[in-house]
Amino acid sequence: MVCVVLGVAAWAGLGRAGVRGPEVIVLGADQPATKTAGIDRFKGGEAKPIKPFAFVDGQGRKVELADFAGRTVLLNLWATWCAPCVKEMPSLDRLQAALGGRDFQVVALSVDRGGRDTVEPFLKKLGIKNLEPYFDQPSASMTALGPRGLPTTLLVGPDGQELGRVEGDVEWDSPEVVAFLRKQIGGSRGPARGNGMVRTGG
């Protein structure tokens, strides 16, 4: 499910170290959350540069993706009014707890117009403890990245290039997705070989 605009949930251009995507948990009314489905509706593409844009962190400091150079980043665009965004936030929090560190970080970037005053109490109410809040009140990310809806999540390599994106909510701490991201993080330390991509449910 995607807020604003419905779209295909598709990773594109994930090719570091020849890593193939996992089978992914698909959530739907006619399919239990524990059931996995094969990868389908691939969308190919090469790693590509991201148009620079700025946002702010919880201390009000200006931040750019370049500040995360050297780390693989899962950049999640979300809003408090977006139900599927809220649904996946706890799993993003758990993912950050599991993988966050010098090689990987989840950057949950809110596009709420209310900024910090809206988002921080909301995250506290959700029990989010591991994600640092980031705010994009002017919605500069929407212009730079061109998402079709929310949530949209980009996988960004240590060199700052977009490796792929997915639209819709995902169980980010599921064993399949965690294993896939571990391989991507490991693969980013070496030369890219081959091209692969994965679709996730949304």
Side-chain angles (χ1 to χ4, degrees):
M1 183 178 179
V2 183
C3 286
V4 184
V5 181
L6 292 176
V8 178
W11 284 104
L14 298 179
R16 295 297 177 105
V19 176
R20 291 186 177 183
E23 289 196 333
V24 181
I25 293 178
V26 176
L27 303 178
D30 60 345
Q31 191 172 41
T34 55
K35 187 175 181 180
T36 58
I39 301 165
D40 59 358
R41 301 191 70 174
F42 294 118
K43 179 180 179 182
E46 298 293 332
K48 59 183 181 181
I50 296 175
K51 183 179 178 181
F53 66 96
F55 47 101
V56 297
D57 65 13
Q59 286 71 50
R61 297 173 298 198
K62 180 181 176 181
V63 181
E64 296 182 353
L65 285 177
D67 296 323
F68 300 94
R71 276 184 282 184
T72 298
V73 170
L74 195 71
L75 175 62
N76 176 258
L77 305 182
W78 75 286
T80 58
W81 46 261
C82 169
C85 298
V86 176
K87 177 182 177 181
E88 70 174 359
M89 194 57 58
S91 70
L92 284 166
D93 191 52
R94 294 190 296 267
L95 177 67
Q96 174 64 20
L99 298 185
R102 64 183 182 86
D103 294 322
F104 178 80
Q105 181 164 340
V106 176
V107 175
L109 180 58
S110 163
V111 297
D112 285 274
R113 292 183 180 180
R116 181 174 182 173
D117 291 342
T118 297
V119 175
E120 287 193 337
F122 188 85
L123 292 177
K124 184 176 181 180
K125 184 177 180 180
L126 277 181
I128 301 302
K129 299 178 180 178
N130 303 297
L131 293 176
E132 180 178 352
Y134 293 94
F135 315 105
D136 180 19
Q137 284 178 277
S139 297
S141 60
M142 302 296 281
T143 300
L145 304 175
R148 296 186 296 176
L150 298 177
T152 292
T153 306
L154 280 69
L155 187 63
V156 181
D159 58 0
Q161 294 203 85
E162 178 183 337
L163 304 179
R165 66 176 61 191
V166 63
E167 297 168 352
D169 58 289
V170 173
E171 280 295 318
W172 289 106
D173 64 334
S174 71
E176 295 84 0
V177 174
V178 170
F180 175 65
L181 289 173
R182 285 188 187 279
K183 290 180 180 179
Q184 289 294 321
I185 295 165
S188 69
R189 301 190 188 103
R193 299 191 299 273
N195 287 302
M197 41 278 185
V198 58
R199 178 186 185 277
T200 57

